[in-house]
Amino acid sequence: MATIDFALSTNANLEDVMIFEATAALSSIAPNHSCRVDPQLAGLVLVTVDHDDAAVRDALCGMRSVLHIVRLTAILDLPQGPDALSQLCAQLDGTAASGSNRLLPDLTRVGQARASFRVCCDRIGTHAFRSVDVERVIGELIHERQGIPGRMKDADVIVRVDVLGNKVVIGEQIHHAELAKKRVHPEFIRDASLRPNVAFAMLHLSGYQPGQFLMDPFVGSGTILLEAAIRFGTRGRFVGMDRSERVVAGARANAASLGLADHVQLVCGNARALHLAARDAKGQVDAIVCNPPWGIRIGKQDDVDDLYRGFLNSAAEMLKTGGRAVVLVIRWESFLQHARCSGRWRVTEARPIRTGDMIPVLFVLERVDDTLWTGIKSGIHRLVVLCREGDGVVAPVASAESTDDAAVSLTRRADHDHDAHNAPEDPSSQRSHRRRVSQ
């Protein structure tokens, strides 16, 4: 029996998430399917099925981790040398002219009179040509050999010729718009908004389950929370925050456009003090999934360190023991250092992924119970009670939060007394003292 191959694309290093979703999507309608990954094809999963029908295509296009889906016609080695594109075009032209073992999709079978087409190319690696050069040269070849007019917008068929390192992946795209872009919320889009397929992958890695408590302290346009509410249902609790009123208002507009305004709680808040924005959530959050500012516009490294340190400490207070935080950062060395030094996190995974021209790192952290941390807090609690009793104040039983505040106050007071005791004496007072002694 003949088989059909599809190529599913996503961000490099998220292939395992896509395999998991494809297996679930095809298990009932194409139980004999197979999924495989070629190490030379970054970001690509090859899916083989024994039939191609509307049910299979709908299942594949309904996946939330995918960028593009192509019905494969060929995977070729890219010719080497400065004229690699010309050699590739000659190879494709030879099969197009003979009509046998066709490497380019046959667009004459579309069934529409003079159907239009467009060539799209994603390119990864260093080459002597650009993506637009591939689109132009292959487009001219298809037009010449198949007599189909090209059209940049609203083309009936999209032919993909993706160049991934030294490999060329060719096929007919089975959908029109990029699947992830179909889920972008047009009411409010930030310059560096997270792609929905990456948000889905982050949620998958967090282990989030329907009905749980999810928090995003850097909510942006709301992509992560909205993706979770759509994918897992609205039974859970979704809390997002940002320090900017404008950003929070934009995320609310996106939630309202999807009918989720009543299911997603969006507030202004500081990621370094999450308990102030969600006082009832301390120790109750199941998962924190977020995309902090990448530091390009934050400022000095000290500002980035302060943000990471404060966020990690605050997030540890909000998460349940065993809960996960999935965080996408570009300054990964600093983030990893603070996560390790805190003593309250176990780094279970760190994977670089490719998004646009950047390669951030996706961290998966597990909240652990640090007995040393807990012991120090208990000791501070006892000392706070003793200090209050020493001042003649009857100390009520303090909550953990009030103990923390009191401990901070005592520490600041002790620092002030220490500084005052060790501060150099004012020169003017020294002169006055000498005058009194001489008299």
Side-chain angles (χ1 to χ4, degrees):
M1 179 183 294
T3 58
I4 300 95
D5 292 324
F6 292 94
L8 283 59
S9 66
T10 189
N11 298 69
N13 259 4
L14 295 180
E15 296 89 348
D16 59 322
V17 177
M18 197 159 55
I19 289 176
F20 177 88
E21 192 182 10
T23 301
L26 296 173
S27 59
S28 60
I29 60 175
N32 296 323
H33 76 278
S34 64
C35 300
R36 64 190 189 279
V37 174
D38 186 332
Q40 298 185 68
L41 302 174
L44 221 61
V45 171
L46 305 177
V47 177
T48 301
V49 294
D50 55 14
H51 64 283
D52 178 13
D53 58 18
V56 169
R57 294 192 173 207
D58 289 345
L60 293 175
C61 290
M63 292 174 55
R64 307 192 73 83
S65 58
V66 179
L67 293 174
H68 306 291
I69 303 173
V70 171
R71 176 168 170 157
L72 278 175
T73 56
I75 298 179
L76 307 175
D77 292 324
L78 178 69
Q80 300 301 302
D83 59 344
L85 183 55
S86 298
Q87 294 182 53
L88 173 64
C89 189
Q91 182 179 356
L92 297 176
D93 189 22
T95 61
S98 65
S100 61
N101 192 24
R102 188 186 296 272
L103 299 178
L104 286 170
D106 182 6
L107 304 187
T108 59
R109 62 176 175 78
V110 172
Q112 299 181 16
R114 305 294 293 174
S116 60
F117 78 97
R118 177 186 176 184
V119 176
C120 291
C121 173
D122 282 345
R123 187 178 58 84
I124 299 177
T126 302
H127 306 99
F129 51 84
R130 302 168 299 167
S131 298
V132 292
D133 298 326
V134 176
E135 296 169 353
R136 175 181 53 80
V137 170
I138 304 302
E140 291 174 352
L141 175 61
I142 293 175
H143 173 66
E144 178 182 344
R145 290 300 181 186
Q146 301 192 31
I148 307 266
R151 182 185 296 170
M152 291 299 295
K153 292 184 178 181
D154 301 322
D156 297 301
V157 182
I158 296 177
V159 176
R160 296 205 67 86
V161 183
D162 294 329
V163 182
L164 308 178
N166 293 323
K167 293 289 186 178
V168 182
V169 180
I170 304 172
E172 179 185 327
Q173 188 169 294
I174 67 172
H175 52 88
H176 284 85
E178 181 182 306
L179 294 176
K181 286 184 177 179
K182 291 168 63 177
R183 306 202 305 274
V184 171
H185 318 296
E187 284 72 16
F188 178 72
I189 302 175
R190 302 197 71 184
D191 293 340
S193 292
L194 191 68
R195 276 185 166 183
N197 69 299
V198 178
F200 174 87
M202 294 173 70
L203 289 165
H204 173 80
L205 295 173
S206 75
Y208 178 82
Q209 296 296 318
Q212 291 185 336
F213 189 166
L214 175 68
M215 179 177 283
D216 179 0
F218 304 92
V219 74
S221 58
T223 303
I224 292 172
L225 295 184
L226 299 180
E227 186 73 18
I230 294 170
R231 172 65 180 81
F232 297 103
T234 57
R235 290 189 295 111
R237 183 179 177 187
F238 307 100
V239 175
M241 60 189 70
D242 198 283
R243 63 181 181 178
S244 166
E245 283 279 9
R246 182 184 69 86
V247 171
V248 171
R252 286 175 181 158
N254 286 338
S257 71
L258 298 173
L260 297 172
D262 296 332
H263 302 285
V264 178
Q265 181 184 351
L266 298 165
V267 297
C268 266
N270 189 336
R272 302 175 182 89
L274 299 176
H275 66 283
L276 297 179
R279 292 183 179 274
D280 64 330
K282 197 168 184 180
Q284 302 300 313
V285 179
D286 295 289
I288 292 178
V289 181
C290 60
N291 176 31
W294 284 2
I296 298 172
R297 300 178 182 175
I298 293 179
K300 298 181 295 184
Q301 181 63 37
D302 290 345
D303 299 328
V304 177
D305 287 333
D306 180 65
L307 175 65
Y308 288 166
R309 186 188 307 110
F311 160 66
L312 286 167
N313 289 337
S314 184
E317 293 292 320
M318 305 303 290
L319 270 177
K320 296 176 180 178
T321 300
R324 285 186 176 184
V326 179
V327 190
L328 186 66
V329 296
I330 194 72
R331 299 193 184 183
W332 62 270
E333 302 100 326
S334 177
F335 185 85
L336 179 59
Q337 177 185 3
H338 291 301
R340 283 175 166 172
C341 290
S342 72
R344 307 175 76 185
W345 297 101
R346 183 170 69 91
V347 181
T348 63
E349 191 173 351
R351 59 170 78 186
I353 68 170
R354 181 176 180 268
T355 171
D357 295 328
M358 307 293 288
I359 303 180
V361 176
L362 190 58
F363 283 94
V364 181
L365 312 178
E366 181 183 346
R367 169 74 167 87
V368 296
D369 189 9
D370 188 341
T371 55
L372 177 60
W373 178 281
T374 304
I376 291 174
K377 287 185 65 176
S378 299
I380 292 175
H381 171 75
R382 289 193 297 270
L383 290 178
V384 168
V385 173
L386 289 173
C387 290
R388 286 175 173 173
E389 290 176 348
D391 290 338
V393 177
V394 177
V397 177
S399 65
E401 188 170 326
S402 62
T403 300
D404 291 345
D405 295 340
V408 171
S409 176
L410 285 173
T411 303
R412 288 176 177 170
R413 186 168 67 185
D415 289 343
H416 178 270
D417 293 343
H418 179 271
D419 293 343
H421 176 74
N422 292 282
E425 191 174 358
D426 184 12
S428 61
S429 63
Q430 293 179 7
R431 288 194 296 271
S432 300
H433 177 69
R434 284 196 296 270
R435 284 198 298 269
R436 287 197 299 272
V437 171
S438 63
Q439 292 173 354

